[in-house]
Structure formats: structure tokens, C-alpha cells
Amino acid sequence: MAAAAPSSSAAAGPGPVAELPRQQAMSSLGQGRPTSPQELLPLLISKAARSNPTRRALIAQIANGPLTQQQLQLEHNKESITRTVVQRVKEHINRLLGDKGLEDIITVSTELTSLDLLLELAHFIENSGEWAGWKPIVRVARHKERVERLPIELVSADVEGVGSREVFDSRCEALRQLSIIGRHLGMTLERPSERRNIGEERLDGHRLTIRPLENLPARHAFRDGFDPANPVCEYRGDDFASICDAVLNWIRFGGSEVASHFVFQYNDPAGYARVRDLANQQPPVWNCRTISTSHQAAGFSLRVIVLHGDQPKHMFQAHIDIYSNPHNTQARLYTTEPPVVGVGAGRFPQTVGAARQVMGAGDAQLVFGGLLVP
């Protein structure tokens, strides 16, 4: 194999910068390997996103390295090269978003042009884990007008708000994901100090404490469904089945109340038992999976069940809050559907129809006592 042409990046000084290949040298990387700048650049971008030294070296090479003869002949300059690399990094990020099924949830703003921040974002997205739990929550937030539009457009402040790679990498997947999109949900996530317990965060200024599986009592209600990627947490005095549960609980507010109904243990023990079961059974409930469950002391609990609005093309959002304690239950149905002329739940015909379809006529009657009249 012919020797590679000397890399003029050596003129930039010793260290990682000197190791970045010049374009003339790229064709001699060996059979079966990338042999052109077009093939090598994506690999270099991927490596720069994963490695801080390589990222710094790439940025320094673009800023300080001399132009090749070919670049001079093509009338390239530092600005045009930077624009090209920025565009290729964005393409790399878009591929990562596509691989995670996030095309309709997250995009990169055209205003985000910092190569340094884009490479950081590539690292964050690549190492963010599985997003299945957040997609429906983001759609709910859009219906609640917490999210201005979809897909969410990530800007410089979103990347900077994540914090250092060390903090990001030390978080569980659900917190990594929340750190990327939290600003658009109207929630701030921060760790008061990198030296503090990594199980403690601040969400909207309130302590959020991760509850590891080994710290949960043997009969804890959330032990069986524990997910280390989206773990049980304590937030604002309540225990939540997961971090996603905690966030859904706090973004659910807004819209109109359609119906509210109490069921008391002393006069309807069978109905009370059924609603308590709905409030505590492992998801899904009525085949609904966008659910928040929280427990307080003395047997008090709250379950939020999203009936509609967590999937693409849904035009409104509807959910049920079930408050439960050892004596009674209360169910409340809320919607973002605009009301029409009518009385009671009849002002929201689409919501009533969706609720009866999801719950079934029997549970709709039991939970809401005949208030959801079709």
C-alpha cells in the first residue's frame, strides 16, 4: 500500500489535532475502509460526538488547520468548511432521531449552528436510550399547550441546559431524555452539585429523589413494575411509579371538566372495589398505557389515565383522574375538546364517545354513575 501523504495538520501542533487526516491522506486508509472525504467525514463526526478530545481536535483543525490544495482550488474557506461540517452533523443527528422513532417529536432548529453544541447534542441523543415513554407525554403536552408545536425544535439553550457529559451519563435514561426536552414541557431539571448524591435532582426547584429497587420495601406497590431506565421516584412528597409518571402528573392540568363522580365504600362496596382496582392495577388499564400513578401516606393514591390525545392525529386530549382512599373514590374526566351547546357532559360529545369506547359501557356507568350519556 502506498504511503499516505504527509498530513499538514501536523503544522497545527502535536496532540490529537495532528492525528486528524488531511483530505489527500484519506484515499490511502486501506482496502475495505472509507477511501474518500465523503465516506470518512460521517465516521469522524460520529467519533467526535463520542469523544471530547476528538471533538476538540476536529474543531481546532477546522479553525486553525491550513487549507489543502484541493480546497483552495475549489475556493473553499473556513466558513464554507464549517457550514459543510455543521450540515453533516445535523444529518447525523437526524439519523439518530430517526433510529429512535423521534422524527415527529424532536428536530434540530436551524438556529442551532454551533459545531461544538451540535456534537454535544449528537452524544446526548445517541446515549439517551429508548424514548417510548416520552412520546405520548409530549403529545399530551402539546394538547395542553405546554409545547408550542411538534416536532420540538432544539436550540442552543436546550443543549446547554443538559449540563456536562458527566452529569448526563450518570443519569438514568428517563432523566437523560427529560434533560433534553424539559424546557419545552415547562420544567427545569438540574443537579444542585455534581458532588452530591446522583440519586437527587431538582425538578422545577423541588427535590426529585430516585428510589432504587433495593431501597423499596418488599410489599411496595411499585416494586413489581420497577424499571431501572425509568425508576420509581419521590417528588413533592408523593411516590410515583416512574419519572414519566411524575411528569405526566404535573403536565395534565388544563382543559374543561366533563364529569365528576364519587363512589363510597359504605353504600356501594362492589363499585368502590372496582374503582380501587382500576386505580391500582398494573398498566395497561382499558388498554391505555399513558398512565401516571402516585401514592401518598395512609392509603391515598392518584391515578391519571389518558384516554385520548397521546397518539398522532388525535385532535383533542382527554384523561381521567381517579382519587382513591380507604373510604371512597372520586373520578374526574377532563378534556381539551371545545364545548358545544348542551348540558353537562353533553357539551363534549367527542370526549364522551371516546371515553365510553375506551372504558366500555359497564365501567363508564360504574365510574361515572350514568353521567356519560351518549
Side-chain angles (χ1 to χ4, degrees):
M1 181 175 69
S7 171
S8 63
S9 62
V17 174
E19 297 173 5
L20 289 175
R22 284 282 303 277
Q23 289 194 5
Q24 297 100 317
M26 292 179 182
S27 61
S28 59
L29 291 179
Q31 189 174 5
R33 298 181 181 180
T35 58
S36 70
Q38 291 76 18
E39 294 176 300
L40 184 62
L41 185 55
L43 297 179
L44 183 58
I45 287 171
S46 180
K47 184 176 180 181
R50 295 188 178 102
S51 165
N52 275 329
T54 305
R55 180 187 61 174
R56 290 191 292 267
L58 175 62
I59 294 172
Q61 177 67 45
I62 294 172
N64 303 317
L67 297 176
T68 67
Q69 188 64 36
Q70 182 183 16
Q71 289 169 338
L72 291 172
Q73 291 173 350
L74 295 174
E75 298 184 351
H76 287 319
N77 55 38
K78 298 294 184 181
E79 290 74 17
S80 65
I81 293 172
T82 300
R83 285 196 301 270
T84 298
V85 176
V86 163
Q87 181 58 36
R88 297 300 289 273
V89 175
K90 286 188 174 183
E91 292 170 2
H92 175 68
I93 293 173
N94 287 336
R95 284 192 293 271
L96 294 174
L97 293 173
D99 291 343
K100 294 180 180 294
L102 295 172
E103 306 97 320
D104 62 336
I105 300 295
I106 297 175
T107 190
V108 180
S109 171
T110 57
E111 298 178 3
L112 180 48
T113 58
S114 164
L115 180 57
D116 191 25
L117 291 179
L118 284 167
L119 289 170
E120 278 287 80
L121 179 59
H123 171 82
F124 295 152
I125 296 296
E126 183 172 9
N127 294 279
S128 61
E130 170 57 51
W131 285 72
W134 287 110
K135 296 176 191 178
I137 292 176
V138 170
R139 295 187 184 106
V140 169
R142 175 66 190 98
H143 286 290
K144 297 294 186 180
E145 298 184 345
R146 283 178 170 264
V147 173
E148 184 176 354
R149 68 177 67 89
L150 289 180
I152 289 170
E153 291 189 5
L154 298 180
V155 297
S156 299
D158 297 308
V159 184
E160 293 167 344
V162 171
S164 69
R165 288 194 180 194
E166 290 73 20
V167 169
F168 179 85
D169 292 343
S170 70
R171 286 169 166 157
C172 64
E173 289 185 6
L175 284 180
R176 293 181 186 184
Q177 295 150 8
L178 181 59
S179 72
I180 296 171
I181 63 172
R183 288 180 63 254
H184 297 270
L185 299 177
M187 309 187 83
T188 58
L189 177 69
E190 58 184 353
R191 185 172 297 168
S193 169
E194 294 183 19
R195 295 188 297 272
R196 296 187 63 176
N197 186 341
I198 63 173
E200 292 188 5
E201 306 273 351
R202 290 279 176 178
L203 182 59
D204 269 3
H206 299 275
R207 178 179 294 178
L208 174 74
T209 304
I210 303 301
R211 302 285 302 277
L213 180 61
E214 58 269 22
N215 290 354
L216 296 179
R219 298 177 64 85
H220 194 283
F222 300 145
R223 188 177 178 87
D224 289 345
F226 186 89
D227 179 1
N230 187 24
V232 175
C233 65
E234 180 183 348
Y235 183 57
R236 302 185 76 164
D238 296 343
D239 277 352
F240 287 88
S242 74
I243 292 164
C244 287
D245 285 51
V247 172
L248 177 60
N249 180 78
W250 289 101
I251 69 167
R252 77 186 196 279
F253 298 103
S256 304
E257 183 177 282
V258 178
S260 176
H261 183 63
F262 278 95
V263 176
F264 294 91
Q265 183 181 27
Y266 70 87
N267 65 359
D268 187 3
Y272 168 82
R274 173 58 179 156
V275 179
R276 282 279 281 185
D277 182 56
L278 292 170
N280 292 288
Q281 74 179 63
Q282 285 290 333
V285 179
W286 303 312
N287 205 34
C288 299
R289 299 179 183 275
T290 309
I291 291 174
S292 169
T293 310
S294 58
H295 287 179
Q296 300 174 336
F300 286 75
S301 67
L302 168 61
R303 168 157 279 181
V304 180
I305 306 172
V306 176
L307 304 178
H308 195 81
D310 59 343
Q311 299 301 317
K313 299 183 180 180
H314 284 184
M315 301 306 294
F316 64 93
Q317 189 272 341
H319 72 269
I320 295 175
D321 292 348
I322 298 179
Y323 299 87
S324 174
N325 63 60
H327 308 291
N328 60 65
T329 64
Q330 182 186 21
R332 293 178 175 176
L333 174 61
Y334 294 91
T335 186
T336 61
E337 176 191 355
V340 299
V341 176
V343 178
R347 296 176 300 153
F348 307 98
Q350 294 182 73
T351 300
V352 170
R356 290 180 63 87
Q357 180 179 7
V358 171
M359 299 172 67
D363 274 345
Q365 172 67 31
L366 184 66
V367 174
F368 286 104
L371 295 175
L372 302 185
V373 179

